[in-house]
Amino acid sequence: MTEFTTRPEILGTFGVVTSTHWIASAVGMSILEKGGNAFDAAVATGFVLQIVEPHLCGPGGDMPAVFYSKSKDKVEVICAQGPAPAGATIEHYTAEGLKLIPGDGLLATVIPGAFDGWMLMLRDYGTMSVREVLEPAIYYAEQGHPVLARVSATIKGLGSFFEKEWPTSYETWLPGGSAPEPLANFRNPVLAQTWTRIISEAEAKTGREDQIEAARDAFYRGFVAEAIDSYVQTAEVMDASGMKHKGVLTAQDMAGWSATVEAPQTYDYHDWTVAKTPAWGQGPVLLQSLALLKGFDLAAMDPTGPDFVHTVVEAMKLAFADREVYYGDPEFGQIPTEYLLSDAYNNERRKLIGSQASLELRPGSVPGYERQLDATMAMLAEMSGTGTVYEPTMSHLTEKRGDTVHIDVIDRWGNMVSTTPSGGWLQSSPIVPGLGFALNSRAQMFWLKDGLPTSLAPGKRPRTTLTPSLALHQGRPSMVFGTPGGDQQDQWQLPFFLRYVHHGKNLQASIDMPLFHTSHFPGSFYPRTSSPGEIMVESNIGTETLDELRRRGHKVTVADEWTVGRLTAARRDADGLLRAAATPRLMQAYAIGR
């Protein structure tokens, strides 16, 4: 008998789209139906997610993608993670009375990267026009879409704060003075006008590529950049520090930046090769976890048993400890990624995984990086968790801190895209007047201490948590997957991938299985706290597993079943059969295909 899954694993040969919102998935599929490829579909899907999940991503946010282009026969990464502005110096921020960069407001903003990343993807890998990929988003901004209950709750929770401190956000999100109720039809006409104007400026040019370039210019060197500049120069707004601050982002910062295409970081695991972003994102954490786990017989373990959960969690603790010390923008210093992924290093690190849960943060020592290790550990001891949570700005950390969205697409030609757009949340900073969207708060991932890979510096990319995945099977690009979830993104992708590889589950069954993660290491988001030894596990993993994990020293928080993780995945088999799946958790994500 076929194993029961919450939804069918979607099968077909024409194309599959899976994302964190059913409307966005349907839009992506409609692009494939019109003859577009996976890149066109991903772009259109991404713009729609900015409208229907505005608490999770927005036009002022960022976007990494890992993808395979059939025509180039190559796996690549798009980095649409904007760097810190020229005025973002440690001296300036500490002079403002800060020890940590707030999780919201204008000082937390870096250059918005997502738009340029989408346009770069469209120009170099897609086939459609700016109009074709933006029109679905414009439709939902103009005509409305059913507000998610979580969006409604987020807006309601921030309503009085918006009214008092961020009036432009109050105007946008509480039109007429009240927050939208769940499933109410909600519009953002100002954002629709922004996109419509970008199309008209693009269509002043002839030729698809020239139109895309004109759209990029309109955003980064035209009316969008001008509106952002004039707002940031004059606004002084309340943020999570409990003080009002002005931002430092300028039109000049935006004009000089563009998204880039890079080589992925890869790791071979059994007959799979996993491709991730380089260490300006947290992607190598998953690879390092695989390097540690390669020494265990995971296939022999029950995938919901205590041995599996314990072993995977302890490996992740070690990999994330190394993330804290060594990851950062490779353009600002040598990141020892190859050493961190080497067999010799991980064979030694693996010996630290014992029968009991570790309660210590235990980064490894990389030759030549001893001072960096000492400086990071000293700084973490001094700084982690010093942020004071300010009411009502951060009425509840998870409501105030936005999350992320995810998209996986595979088309009939074999192109595949995995992308995790984020930032520019409705709760991250005030709406920019005349544009209908907010800036991001990604700078909160920098430290205000000199000499670290993640120290704030102008032009440096923050070490983000955004981490899409692409896996090759026996050298053939086969699978794309990912999830929102900040520091949990790789922690949820890892058990999904391991269960898929080792336990013969299909995509949907692998996604449905109970999930877990740890908050053992310092969080990437303000106020940067950690909970040594703590793990969160979905209750449906069973009391026997939960009791045994406690016996092994884990501090177990039991989550309700179907509440952890928002995974989606798609695969192309060697014979061309396409598969897709999406999590039932939150009852939003959807996989579509035929």
Side-chain angles (χ1 to χ4, degrees):
M1 235 180 88
T2 311
E3 181 180 6
F4 173 81
T5 54
T6 56
R7 300 164 175 192
E9 181 182 58
I10 301 297
L11 302 172
T13 54
F14 175 79
V16 288
V17 180
T18 180
S19 85
T20 48
H21 195 292
W22 67 91
I23 287 177
S25 297
V27 163
M29 194 68 203
S30 77
I31 296 290
L32 295 182
E33 298 285 4
K34 287 172 187 160
N37 66 15
F39 303 104
D40 300 313
V43 175
T45 304
F47 280 114
V48 169
L49 285 171
Q50 295 172 4
I51 309 295
V52 298
E53 294 199 283
H55 61 319
L56 306 179
C57 72
D62 26 53
M63 183 276 279
V66 56
F67 58 94
Y68 170 73
S69 159
K70 183 72 176 166
S71 63
K72 288 193 175 186
D73 192 25
K74 201 172 179 186
V75 176
E76 294 175 294
V77 166
I78 284 179
C79 176
Q81 174 54 63
T89 63
I90 290 175
E91 296 70 33
H92 176 70
Y93 282 54
T94 51
E96 292 280 309
L98 297 171
K99 287 188 175 180
L100 289 173
I101 297 175
D104 61 5
L106 297 176
L107 272 182
T109 292
V110 300
I111 295 167
F115 187 80
D116 208 59
W118 290 127
M119 291 297 108
L120 177 65
M121 181 182 284
L122 184 67
R123 185 194 70 186
D124 292 355
Y125 302 91
T127 65
M128 287 186 159
S129 67
V130 176
R131 175 181 289 278
E132 286 171 304
V133 296
L134 272 176
E135 274 189 332
I138 292 170
Y139 172 85
Y140 288 108
E142 269 181 350
Q143 303 302 316
H145 59 93
V147 171
L148 295 168
R150 281 176 175 247
V151 176
S152 173
T154 301
I155 295 170
K156 282 179 181 173
L158 292 165
S160 58
F161 174 75
F162 282 172
E163 186 174 19
K164 185 178 173 215
E165 303 291 355
W166 297 0
T168 53
S169 293
Y170 187 77
E171 246 172 75
T172 300
W173 303 114
L174 294 94
S178 58
E181 292 299 322
L183 305 186
N185 198 42
F186 186 81
R187 298 175 176 85
N188 188 343
V190 179
L191 180 53
Q193 287 161 18
T194 298
W195 293 144
T196 302
R197 182 170 170 187
I198 282 179
I199 290 172
S200 68
E201 295 205 9
E203 290 181 345
K205 303 282 186 186
T206 51
R208 194 184 81 89
E209 290 193 13
D210 286 346
Q211 288 186 358
I212 293 169
E213 287 307 303
R216 296 172 85 180
D217 284 341
F219 195 99
Y220 289 90
R221 289 159 285 279
F223 79 96
V224 174
E226 287 162 15
I228 290 170
D229 185 274
S230 67
Y231 177 64
V232 175
Q233 296 312 310
T234 54
E236 193 170 5
V237 308
M238 182 63 75
D239 59 41
S241 69
M243 298 182 285
K244 290 189 175 188
H245 291 110
K246 292 181 78 162
V248 294
L249 180 67
T250 66
Q252 200 174 347
D253 291 315
M254 291 181 66
W257 178 83
S258 57
T260 51
V261 178
E262 304 183 0
Q265 186 70 50
T266 61
Y267 186 77
D268 295 334
Y269 180 79
H270 294 271
D271 53 356
W272 292 82
T273 300
V274 182
K276 301 287 282 183
T277 68
W280 47 260
Q282 76 174 9
V285 157
L286 186 137
L287 307 181
Q288 206 176 332
S289 299
L290 292 175
L292 289 161
L293 291 167
K294 204 159 64 169
F296 294 93
D297 186 2
L298 295 175
M301 297 180 189
D302 173 355
T304 59
D307 287 347
F308 180 85
V309 178
H310 172 80
T311 305
V312 171
V313 164
E314 292 303 300
M316 291 193 301
K317 286 179 184 177
L318 295 173
F320 274 94
D322 283 346
R323 180 194 77 168
E324 291 310 300
V325 174
Y326 300 109
Y327 291 20
D329 188 341
E331 289 181 18
F332 279 73
Q334 196 66 39
I335 312 295
T337 315
E338 298 307 322
Y339 189 90
L340 295 172
L341 296 179
S342 67
D343 283 346
Y345 179 72
N346 288 290
N347 290 344
E348 281 305 305
R349 297 280 279 155
R350 194 178 301 118
K351 294 173 186 172
L352 295 174
I353 301 176
S355 59
Q356 290 294 112
S358 167
L359 302 182
E360 293 172 70
L361 190 70
R362 299 182 292 180
S365 183
V366 176
Y369 291 78
E370 292 85 357
R371 285 181 65 183
Q372 186 173 304
L373 171 61
D374 293 343
T376 304
M377 295 304 283
M379 188 270 305
L380 288 176
E382 179 195 341
M383 295 296 299
S384 186
T386 58
T388 52
V389 178
Y390 169 73
E391 301 287 351
T393 314
M394 296 181 72
S395 52
H396 184 279
L397 188 61
T398 53
E399 288 295 338
K400 182 60 193 169
R401 198 196 88 200
D403 197 348
T404 305
V405 298
H406 186 78
I407 303 162
D408 298 303
V409 188
I410 306 178
D411 63 26
R412 62 189 186 270
W413 301 287
N415 297 304
M416 49 187 74
V417 181
S418 175
T419 176
T420 311
S422 186
W425 315 307
L426 71 85
Q427 63 276 43
S428 63
S429 72
I431 290 282
V432 180
L435 295 182
F437 67 83
L439 295 168
N440 61 77
S441 53
R442 195 59 66 184
Q444 66 183 290
M445 297 184 165
F446 289 115
W447 292 107
L448 296 177
K449 290 273 181 181
D450 275 320
L452 307 173
T454 46
S455 303
L456 178 67
K460 185 188 273 191
R461 291 172 286 187
R463 194 276 302 144
T464 77
T465 54
L466 306 176
T467 176
S469 298
L470 186 150
L472 300 91
H473 185 243
Q474 296 174 347
R476 183 183 52 80
S478 297
M479 185 160 72
V480 280
F481 57 99
T483 177
D487 291 308
Q488 287 80 47
Q489 288 178 30
D490 283 314
Q491 299 196 66
W492 295 334
Q493 292 180 65
L494 181 62
F496 157 76
F497 180 72
L498 294 170
R499 287 159 168 171
Y500 187 76
V501 167
H502 292 298
H503 297 104
K505 306 276 183 190
N506 72 24
L507 292 179
Q508 190 64 49
S510 301
I511 284 173
D512 284 352
M513 293 186 80
L515 280 169
F516 53 88
H517 62 263
T518 178
S519 47
H520 176 79
F521 49 85
S524 298
F525 295 85
Y526 180 91
R528 312 297 296 262
T529 51
S530 60
S531 306
E534 189 169 309
I535 58 172
M536 180 172 274
V537 190
E538 285 184 302
S539 61
N540 48 326
I541 205 158
T543 51
E544 278 183 35
T545 295
L546 294 169
D547 289 345
E548 176 60 19
L549 290 169
R550 289 191 184 99
R551 198 189 65 73
R552 295 186 191 190
H554 296 279
K555 297 174 184 175
V556 179
T557 299
V558 181
D560 290 343
E561 59 182 345
W562 309 115
T563 58
V564 172
R566 295 180 68 206
L567 286 156
T568 68
R571 177 168 181 180
R572 186 174 193 268
D573 291 353
D575 64 358
L577 181 68
L578 303 178
R579 306 167 181 267
T583 185
R585 296 163 177 91
L586 298 191
M587 299 185 293
Q588 278 168 228
Y590 228 82
I592 302 178
R594 68 171 180 84

